[in-house]
Amino acid sequence: MNSAAILWTGGKDSCLALYEAKLSGYEIKYLITLVPANPNFLAHPISFMKLQSEALQIPHLIIEITEPFKESYIKAFRNLKEKYFIDTLITGDIDEVEGHSNIVKECADETNLQVFLPLWKRDRKEIMNKFFEYNFQWIFSLVKKPHFTNEWVGRNFNETSYADLLLLENKNGIDICGEKGEYHTLVIDNPSFTKKIQIEEYSKREKDSMHYMNIEKISLQNK
């Protein structure tokens, strides 16, 4: 069995990649979040990822990345291989972002880490339909103007919101998976979670071109 770690954001794509990796026989040893100094993630709070780690019963490692970034990635990946005995790195990447190469794949190659990308280049609608098939529950945690209004913040992914995403795709050409950064998500439950994350209190905030969820109180609930 392959000993693997997954690059973790807490969003739908990393959760789906983890789920499909497990179906493919990978043993996920760690959730890995690469962060800058003093991180302040609006879309994917560290505190939320920690609860996901507890729900998944998989340890969460936070690794600081500094400039020059490529060298920092290589150092981090080498450490995963030598200290944590990881031989495969999993990511939820779907496509190149604005034509940039896949830095994770490049740096993993330099450290002889295998990379598994279960979502890479897959049809967007096929990916979105997997969330229904696997019974994932997730919310929109951050959305970008001008395509989205603040009414989307905190909205659940379901048949209605998916239909609205398809309308926005037809009208404005958005990527329905949000791969161009149009929106971000947080997974609150899926079949791999031993408990469900309950967002008890939150407010909606605005910053620059973004509407986002400011989570004030969260907890784990028995399923």
Side-chain angles (χ1 to χ4, degrees):
M1 181 176 287
N2 288 304
S3 182
I6 182 164
L7 294 185
W8 193 253
T9 67
K12 61 179 179 55
D13 300 332
S14 59
C15 280
L16 180 58
L18 181 146
Y19 191 74
E20 295 212 329
K22 289 173 68 175
L23 292 177
S24 297
Y26 288 90
E27 182 180 7
I28 316 297
K29 294 288 192 180
Y30 298 98
L31 312 177
I32 308 294
T33 302
L34 305 175
V35 304
N38 304 311
N40 180 27
F41 296 141
L42 299 182
H44 308 117
I46 297 288
S47 59
F48 198 98
M49 290 189 255
K50 289 297 182 185
L51 283 191
Q52 290 176 320
S53 167
E54 188 176 338
L56 287 163
Q57 299 183 331
I58 301 173
H60 183 212
L61 300 179
I62 297 174
I63 301 174
E64 186 173 311
I65 298 295
T66 57
E67 293 188 49
F69 293 120
K70 185 169 185 179
E71 286 80 355
S72 193
Y73 271 67
I74 291 171
K75 180 181 178 181
F77 293 169
R78 185 172 289 119
N79 191 48
L80 287 176
K81 188 176 180 69
E82 295 175 356
K83 182 178 180 180
Y84 295 98
F85 307 106
I86 297 301
D87 54 43
T88 302
L89 195 63
I90 300 162
T91 88
D93 293 334
I94 298 173
D95 214 333
E96 294 98 350
V97 179
E98 296 179 349
H100 294 295
S101 60
N102 190 327
I103 188 173
V104 170
K105 180 71 167 61
E106 289 178 5
C107 296
D109 287 345
E110 294 207 25
T111 54
N112 293 317
L113 270 177
Q114 299 297 312
V115 178
F116 181 51
L117 300 102
L119 311 186
W120 191 251
K121 298 290 187 180
R122 279 170 65 176
D123 179 79
R124 302 298 200 265
K125 291 182 176 65
E126 177 191 346
I127 290 172
M128 297 299 271
N129 284 324
K130 286 294 181 184
F131 297 118
F132 295 115
E133 179 183 338
Y134 296 147
N135 195 28
F136 274 47
Q137 295 182 41
W138 52 264
I139 60 169
F140 294 84
S141 59
L142 183 151
V143 297
K144 298 275 188 72
K145 306 173 188 176
H147 306 308
F148 294 91
T149 63
N150 75 337
E151 282 79 13
W152 280 83
V153 175
R155 191 175 180 184
N156 290 300
F157 177 71
N158 53 32
E159 295 284 358
T160 302
S161 56
Y162 183 40
D164 288 342
L165 280 178
L166 292 173
L167 287 174
L168 285 174
E169 178 192 36
N170 290 332
K171 180 180 177 182
N172 300 321
I174 70 160
D175 186 309
I176 58 170
C177 288
E179 193 67 3
K180 299 174 187 175
E182 296 98 330
Y183 68 87
H184 295 278
T185 65
L186 288 170
V187 174
I188 58 177
D189 194 18
N190 73 30
S192 294
F193 283 25
T194 59
K195 294 184 177 182
K196 180 178 179 178
I197 298 174
Q198 181 73 34
I199 300 175
E200 298 177 28
E201 295 178 17
Y202 75 93
S203 56
K204 296 182 182 183
R205 303 278 181 90
E206 185 175 341
K207 182 178 180 180
D208 301 325
S209 64
M210 301 173 290
H211 298 288
Y212 68 96
M213 169 184 282
N214 184 64
I215 297 174
E216 287 136 13
K217 187 177 180 182
I218 51 175
S219 62
L220 286 175
Q221 304 289 333
N222 291 326
K223 297 168 68 168

